[in-house]
Amino acid sequence: MALQSSNYTTFCSSFVLCFLCLSFLWPFLGGLSCFTDFHLTFLIMGEAVEICYPNGFSKICNGTANQNLDEESHHFDSWYEETIDEDLKWSFALKSVLYKGASEYQDIALLDTKRFGKVLVIDGKMQSAEVDEFIYHECLIHPALLFHSNPKTVFIMGGGEGSAAREALRHKSIEEVVMCDIDQEVVNFCRRFLTVNRDAFCNKKLNLVINDAKAELEGRNEKYDIIVGDLADPVEGGPCYQLYTKSFYEKILKPKLNENGIFVTQAGPAGIFTHKEVFSSIYNTIRQVFKYVLAYTAHVPSFADTWGWVMASDQPFSIGAEEIDRRIAERVDGELLYLNGASFLSSATMNKTVYLSLLNETHVYTEEDARFIPGHGLAHRL
């Protein structure tokens, strides 16, 4: 026992000495540039070794970094890491990876997280999370339908997970919802895994179309009361950025609205530090096309930011909080979890910084001069 105690004391002393030497030398070594893409955590006596990869998933492997993590169950102690900006990342502790792959158009992952439940990740960007997607989708869908006097037809660009269609179908006046998503694979696995939307996918009022929304709208003779942009964020090389351009809004989308029709789109991050990425540009672009344009925002916890939407029409938005609440009670099946009249009017009041940015924005979104959300991760790299 004395010999073992002596050996253990020697080991601990040596380890502490090595640690102190490394801590002293680290600034002079520039943080060991060979490790700049990794975050390493060592636990003594053969416990876990954590290796955090720069754009995607970090894995905790017992004793080895070479453990095979592509087992069918995908159950492991792991984190998913999303790049918010060049110097900012957002991590989620995972229970499992339910799906990972790449379609013809984008990288796709469906993750089961410990904090936010099931989350959909496309091109490395969080699209929605099970526990708080109601915030995003209530804000996207209900204001436009409530401000319209009698909405009957809705065309949704994107929305493959089905949540936007689910919310639109809650309105008693709705006769048809067309949901047009370019990616059959996204729709298929959302129908399989996102059970909350199964009733929406089976609703007889839903017309599901797999096509490019631009081509689909352009080829249709019908006009709609509401057109919704539930599109992925504009990322460089992604399939959606052309659907944020002035030419698309002006030449294709607006002619497909009925006379008192309303267009609404998600417009990206709208936080104090992030609103100039695309939010202010999308807002200013839509102002070039419609007479009345209203921007509004809400905090979405799983997005780690305030999010923005823009609603537009050639008719004024002129109802107050009490009328919004009355229309919710009369028109919508079930209780809304987030939106009411007072909260919506509050959400349309920007803080001073964002207000001035929207007021002074001059950039107009075009195919030749597009803005993109920075730094998206690669969801398929496990």
Side-chain angles (χ1 to χ4, degrees):
M1 290 294 292
L3 181 58
Q4 290 177 354
S5 176
S6 175
N7 289 339
Y8 181 75
T9 301
T10 301
F11 169 80
C12 290
S13 299
S14 299
F15 181 86
V16 170
L17 181 60
C18 289
F19 179 80
L20 291 174
C21 290
L22 181 59
S23 299
F24 176 76
L25 291 172
W26 188 267
F28 301 99
L29 295 174
L32 292 180
S33 59
C34 59
F35 289 146
T36 54
D37 282 343
F38 299 92
H39 165 69
L40 305 177
T41 301
F42 298 91
L43 300 180
I44 306 174
M45 303 301 289
E47 296 297 328
V49 177
E50 182 181 19
I51 304 176
C52 296
Y53 292 81
N55 286 314
F57 296 86
S58 66
K59 305 124 178 137
I60 296 182
C61 311
N62 290 324
T64 175
N66 296 318
Q67 181 176 347
N68 180 16
L69 295 175
D70 287 328
E71 299 169 1
E72 187 172 345
S73 65
H74 294 289
H75 286 275
F76 46 83
D77 192 2
S78 179
W79 290 73
Y80 177 75
E81 188 177 79
E82 178 180 325
T83 299
I84 303 298
D85 209 334
E86 292 179 356
D87 57 356
L88 183 64
K89 294 183 178 181
W90 174 232
S91 296
F92 308 86
L94 299 181
K95 291 181 180 178
S96 63
V97 176
L98 299 174
Y99 179 95
K100 60 186 177 74
S103 71
E104 181 182 353
Y105 302 101
Q106 51 210 345
D107 296 325
I108 307 164
L110 188 64
L111 316 176
D112 191 6
T113 70
K114 294 182 179 180
R115 174 61 63 92
F116 297 112
K118 294 175 184 175
V119 304
L120 175 64
V121 178
I122 292 179
D123 283 336
K125 304 296 292 184
M126 170 83 78
Q127 301 300 308
S128 71
E130 188 176 23
V131 301
D132 66 1
E133 57 86 7
F134 66 91
I135 302 172
Y136 171 92
H137 289 105
E138 286 188 15
C139 289
L140 174 68
I141 294 298
H142 295 294
L145 273 74
L146 292 168
F147 274 84
H148 194 284
S149 59
N150 187 28
K152 295 183 180 298
T153 56
V154 178
F155 187 98
I156 300 172
M157 303 184 294
E161 67 183 274
S163 299
R166 179 197 70 212
E167 294 300 316
L169 289 165
R170 295 176 66 182
H171 284 253
K172 299 172 185 178
S173 64
I174 291 299
E175 296 175 356
E176 182 186 29
V177 174
V178 179
M179 186 181 86
C180 181
D181 197 285
I182 196 172
D183 202 327
Q184 179 76 66
E185 192 164 346
V186 169
V187 174
N188 287 346
F189 81 73
C190 286
R191 293 181 74 163
R192 176 183 175 188
F193 289 109
L194 302 184
T195 57
V196 68
N197 294 331
R198 282 183 180 171
D199 288 345
F201 278 113
C202 295
N203 195 302
K204 293 181 180 179
K205 295 179 180 179
L206 178 66
N207 178 10
L208 174 60
V209 178
I210 304 300
N211 195 7
D212 173 70
K214 180 180 178 181
E216 186 67 25
L217 266 181
E218 194 170 21
R220 282 180 170 252
N221 296 320
E222 302 91 340
K223 293 189 177 184
Y224 299 90
D225 296 322
I226 309 291
I227 296 180
V228 179
D230 187 18
L231 303 163
D233 298 324
V235 294
E236 193 164 9
C240 294
Y241 78 94
Q242 295 180 8
L243 303 184
Y244 292 97
T245 61
K246 179 177 182 287
S247 62
F248 171 69
Y249 293 148
E250 190 171 49
K251 297 177 182 178
I252 297 176
L253 186 147
K254 188 176 181 181
K256 299 301 180 181
L257 282 171
N258 284 322
E259 184 177 355
N260 61 341
I262 298 175
F263 168 57
V264 63
T265 184
Q266 81 90 11
I272 195 77
F273 299 121
T274 56
H275 66 277
K276 290 185 178 181
E277 290 173 1
V278 294
F279 178 59
S280 60
S281 176
I282 292 171
Y283 171 78
N284 186 58
T285 302
I286 293 173
R287 279 203 305 174
Q288 314 303 309
V289 179
F290 291 90
K291 291 181 181 178
Y292 300 95
V293 180
L294 182 65
Y296 56 100
T297 64
H299 179 69
V300 182
S302 61
F303 290 174
D305 206 347
T306 300
W307 214 253
W309 298 264
V310 178
M311 185 167 65
S313 179
D314 282 344
Q315 304 296 324
F317 302 117
S318 56
I319 64 174
E322 290 184 2
E323 177 63 15
I324 292 173
D325 288 335
R326 186 187 69 80
R327 292 187 181 187
I328 290 173
E330 289 182 357
R331 296 183 182 186
V332 181
D333 285 327
E335 291 288 328
L336 298 185
L337 298 177
Y338 181 81
L339 197 71
N340 60 21
S343 69
F344 177 75
L345 295 186
S346 174
S347 73
T349 303
M350 303 293 115
N351 64 63
K352 183 177 180 180
T353 297
V354 176
Y355 168 78
L356 290 175
S357 293
L358 295 181
L359 183 66
N360 297 318
E361 181 63 77
T362 60
H363 181 263
V364 175
Y365 211 101
T366 67
E367 293 186 22
E368 296 76 26
D369 187 15
R371 289 183 181 177
F372 301 106
I373 299 291
H376 61 281
L378 298 175
H380 68 286
R381 286 194 175 178
L382 283 174

